[in-house]
Amino acid sequence: MKMNLPNKLSVIRLCMVPVFVVIMMASDALWANLVGCALFGLAAFTDMLDGKIARKYNLVTDFGKFLDPLADKFMVIGALLVILYKVMGDGSINGIFTTVFFWTVMIVIFRELAVTSIRLVVSGSAGIVVAANMLGKIKTCVQIACVIICILERAIYAALPTPPAFAAYLPASLALSVLMLVFTLWSGINYIASYWKYMDPEK
């Protein structure tokens, strides 16, 4: 199957996910966190780049509309699960952050499963490819920012000889986790409300 450049970038982003996970799980050293963060940032950059190229050169395809958000989901959920695994095993992190982040990750996963299911149903019943809307794109940007800050903040505090008292709460990560939760729920409800008319229980 011949793919255009935006779709190739989406495939590359998908392939970068397991590499990111392996690096992050291989070591908790500062270098591993920095390399993993750089790799995640590069993957996120391809997300922005493939969309711009597709729109500028009229390379938007139904395959790309499906693959692009799917690659985003693999990228974000994979990163969130790695971070969750690390913070839950880190005794120096306060339980408030761990609890908030755990439930946020669960809601992100449930939301993505629900929206993906809606996409499949709408595509099958109405022949409509559900592309990411603006609210969904904002949600993805917030998720990307949250992942990067969570990785960097935890790594930087861990590298300090004497971390400040507030470091246990990962304040910037906590704030972005709450923001991510808000946009995840908001965009999910928006998708469900917009496409509920296609969810016919008699079909």
Side-chain angles (χ1 to χ4, degrees), residues 27-37 151-152 154-159:
S27 173
D28 205 26
L30 181 61
W31 71 265
N33 285 283
L34 293 178
V35 172
C37 191
I151 294 173
L152 289 179
R154 179 175 173 272
I156 290 171
Y157 285 148

Side-chain angles (χ1 to χ4, degrees), residues 3 18 39 53 55 64 81 91 104 112 141-142 150 166 190:
M3 291 188 292
L39 191 61
I53 293 174
R55 289 187 294 271
L81 288 176
T104 299
E112 301 301 353
C141 289
V142 174
C150 284
F166 61 80
N190 178 263

Side-chain angles (χ1 to χ4, degrees), residues 13 64-74 119 130-132:
R13 184 160 68 258
K65 289 178 182 178
F66 168 78
L67 183 64
D68 179 61
L70 184 66
D72 295 341
K73 287 173 176 55
F74 274 81
R119 280 195 169 101
V130 181

Side-chain angles (χ1 to χ4, degrees), residues 13 16 39-49 72 75 144 148:
R13 184 160 68 258
M16 292 173 74
L39 191 61
F40 181 84
L42 181 61
F45 177 72
T46 67
D47 178 33
M48 178 195 71
L49 190 62
D72 295 341
M75 177 182 72
I144 290 170
I148 291 173

Side-chain angles (χ1 to χ4, degrees), residues 55-70:
R55 289 187 294 271
K56 183 176 181 179
Y57 296 101
N58 195 27
L59 296 174
V60 177
T61 63
D62 285 347
F63 179 75
K65 289 178 182 178
F66 168 78
L67 183 64
D68 179 61
L70 184 66

